[in-house]
């Protein structure tokens, strides 16, 4: 399949949310009774609903028993964690509010509200119909492997990518690390002594699967080699 041209350079909030749901290994679930930290105990249906498998002695089980109508109000929180070690690895938090109910041997969480909290403090509500119809980013499952490999095996490539960043933005930067990767581009974290900033480098075209990432990265690196913005480049990370 050929690469389709994309008119956007960032994923939608719904796409980011579905990617978080697809890749997160843990979540925090809060009801009137208490809070449970679930690890490896949730799955996501095709339409975005959550199936939870909490321990029998968890607060969730008690909440279902105590709720007036058997469907307690519930808040589920997921953290989007960067795979590469950074000062602050939380890239975003996804908050889902709704209710719980039993379905066979599982708890099913029915969301009524979805909000994505960015690391920069911005909050964006997500329409539930859009969340249900949106698929995770095609690179979501491979992102951790790809970014870790880039950081560990190709620090020279990360350094080359900084040539695409304006020299003013690189003032005082002591380390650059790959932060995020999706079908529309790659983001880098610029670390200074007491602060940090993120910069996004869009691909020339959106990718459809992992096999097309190499071509897009090579295109970015080719642009970097031709760039004349070389003053103030930080050391590779």
């Amino acid at each position: 399949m050929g690469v389709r041209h994309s008119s956007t350079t960032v994923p939608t909030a719904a796409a980011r949310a579905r990617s978080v749901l697809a890749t997160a290994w843990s979540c925090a679930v809060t009801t009137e009774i208490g809070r449970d930290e679930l690890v490896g105990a949730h799955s996501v249906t095709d339409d975005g609903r959550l199936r939870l498998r909490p321990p029998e002695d968890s607060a969730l089980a008690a909440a279902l028993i105590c709720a007036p109508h058997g469907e307690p109000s519930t808040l589920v929180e997921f953290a989007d964690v960067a795979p590469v070690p950074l000062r602050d690895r939380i890239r975003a938090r996804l908050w889902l509010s709704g209710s719980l109910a039993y379905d066979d041997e599982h708890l099913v969480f029915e969301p009524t509200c979805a909000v994505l909290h960015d690391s920069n403090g911005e909050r964006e509500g997500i329409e539930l119909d859009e969340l249900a119809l949106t698929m995770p980013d095609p690179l979501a499952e491979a992102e951790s492997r790809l970014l870790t490999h880039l950081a560990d095996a190709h620090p020279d490539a990360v350094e080359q990518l900084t040539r695409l960043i304006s020299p003013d933005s690189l003032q005082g930067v002591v380390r650059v690390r790959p932060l995020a990767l999706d079908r529309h581009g790659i983001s880098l974290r610029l670390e200074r002594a007491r602060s940090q900033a993120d910069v996004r480098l869009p691909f020339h075209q959106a990718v459809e699967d992992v096999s097309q990432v190499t071509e897009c990265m090579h295109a970015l690196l080719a642009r970097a080699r031709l760039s004349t913005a070389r003053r103030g480049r930080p050391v590779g990370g």
Side-chain angles (χ1 to χ4, degrees):
M1 181 185 301
V3 179
R4 296 181 302 179
H5 178 73
S6 174
S7 60
T8 183
T9 59
V10 296
T12 65
R16 291 183 63 190
R18 285 304 299 267
S19 296
V20 172
L21 290 175
T23 58
W25 183 242
S26 63
C27 63
V29 184
T30 304
T31 64
E32 296 94 334
I33 299 297
R35 178 182 174 95
D36 278 326
E37 300 282 347
L38 302 184
V39 179
H42 76 274
S43 59
V44 185
T45 64
D46 290 340
D47 59 0
R49 292 185 302 162
L50 295 178
R51 292 184 180 273
L52 306 175
R53 302 178 303 278
E56 294 182 359
D57 60 349
S58 70
L60 293 183
L64 280 172
I65 295 173
C66 299
H69 304 290
E71 296 183 356
S73 298
T74 305
L75 175 67
V76 183
E77 180 182 350
F78 290 87
D80 177 22
V81 183
V84 175
L86 301 165
R87 288 177 187 159
D88 182 4
R89 296 180 68 172
I90 304 298
R91 302 182 294 194
R93 294 187 186 274
L94 175 64
W95 285 5
L96 303 173
S97 58
S99 60
L100 282 173
Y102 269 119
D103 179 11
D104 297 328
E105 297 180 355
H106 295 87
L107 293 179
V108 177
F109 174 74
E110 294 280 359
T112 57
C113 179
V115 180
L116 187 70
H117 299 243
D118 259 336
S119 59
N120 58 12
E122 295 183 1
R123 301 182 181 184
E124 185 171 356
I126 305 170
E127 293 291 338
L128 295 180
D129 289 343
E130 183 183 5
L131 183 65
L133 294 173
T134 300
M135 296 298 293
D137 189 273
L139 303 185
E141 296 287 349
E143 183 196 27
S144 178
R145 170 175 56 83
L146 294 172
L147 285 187
T148 301
H149 177 74
L150 178 63
D152 294 345
H154 300 286
D156 56 327
V158 176
E159 192 276 337
Q160 286 183 23
L161 289 175
T162 64
R163 303 180 188 183
L164 297 173
I165 303 172
S166 68
D168 289 345
S169 297
L170 295 172
Q171 291 298 320
V173 171
V174 296
R175 190 173 75 154
V176 178
R177 301 285 276 172
L179 173 67
L181 179 69
D182 57 66
R183 69 193 304 259
H184 300 290
I186 185 171
S187 296
L188 303 179
R189 168 67 55 81
L190 310 180
E191 294 185 350
R192 298 181 176 86
R194 292 188 175 88
S195 64
Q196 60 194 29
D198 302 333
V199 63
R200 185 169 179 82
L201 303 177
F203 294 147
H204 66 287
Q205 291 174 313
V207 303
E208 298 293 339
D209 55 49
V210 176
S211 67
Q212 298 168 345
V213 174
T214 299
E215 175 190 348
C216 286
M217 287 298 297
H218 283 174
L220 277 181
L221 291 170
R223 285 175 49 204
R225 286 191 291 269
L226 293 174
S227 174
T228 57
R230 304 184 180 217
R231 291 180 298 113
R233 284 185 291 156
V235 295

